[in-house]
Amino acid sequence: MRKNVLGTAGTAGTAFGTACVTVLALALGTAPATAAPSATAQGSGWEPAPSAPWDVPAGERCAFPVHGEPVVDEVVRRELPPPGEGVTRTAYKGDLVIRVTNKETGAHYDADVSGTALVDVYASGAQFWRVLGPVLVGVGEGSLARGLYVVDGAYTIDISPTGTKTVAGPAVRTDSLCARID
């Protein structure tokens, strides 16, 4: 696994940076859980940013209901100076593997989403992610079809206040998790 970050957001397109990313990462459901600080976090300004298990109903991302749960979660975050008024900036890194399960069949896939991200969150609710490596992205509306993806490469994710996600960059690869666990 790569030593890097994560990204995903809440089930209704809420905060990406909470855990996978919060899973991460984007449009799943995540909330902080408790975890012991890693050696990387201790004394360096980095703090744990654990992902919580999440569920997505049938039709919201995949045609079937999906459950996600971290099986490896060493993600840490660090708050950085804001780039402007009404903007927070956070860096994320660390190993993150999310087990994504089809709740109808039990089929599952362990997604390594250990990317690194720099995330700006605006007062409007919009977010802008600069990402290197894989993160978990749940899409309702956006530049990718409705679904659940591991997005990898060097890219950005622009999330509108309404949750529309636009993934762009010179090197972007996507892997449909819905297809993997169908």
Side-chain angles (χ1 to χ4, degrees):
M1 276 179 279
R2 292 181 242 195
K3 206 50 167 161
N4 296 314
V5 87
L6 84 315
T8 313
T11 54
T14 60
F16 240 29
T18 310
C20 180
V21 284
T22 300
V23 160
L24 296 167
L26 308 168
L28 296 179
T30 57
T34 58
S38 69
T40 305
Q42 294 176 353
S44 66
W46 292 93
E47 61 184 38
S51 297
W54 47 265
D55 292 283
V56 178
E60 192 171 303
R61 297 294 174 260
C62 303
F64 44 84
V66 178
H67 175 75
E69 187 160 340
V71 293
V72 173
D73 192 349
E74 297 176 6
V75 175
V76 292
R77 73 174 171 221
R78 184 176 193 171
E79 297 299 318
L80 301 173
E85 178 115 11
V87 182
T88 61
R89 178 169 282 173
T90 308
Y92 293 90
K93 67 179 182 174
D95 288 343
L96 182 63
V97 177
I98 301 292
R99 176 161 292 161
V100 180
T101 304
N102 178 328
K103 291 175 69 174
E104 289 178 350
T105 67
H108 69 273
Y109 178 74
D110 290 346
D112 182 351
V113 290
S114 303
T116 300
L118 182 63
V119 180
D120 291 343
V121 178
Y122 299 85
S124 67
Q127 299 178 26
F128 187 73
W129 289 59
R130 294 163 195 85
V131 186
L132 182 59
V135 298
L136 184 60
V137 179
V139 178
E141 292 184 25
S143 61
L144 299 172
R146 179 179 301 273
L148 189 57
Y149 301 91
V150 172
V151 179
D152 197 356
Y155 56 97
T156 61
I157 303 171
D158 193 1
I159 306 172
S160 76
T162 61
T164 300
K165 295 176 184 83
T166 303
V167 177
V172 180
R173 292 174 304 285
T174 60
D175 182 10
S176 171
L177 297 181
C178 296
R180 281 193 176 270
I181 61 174
D182 189 10

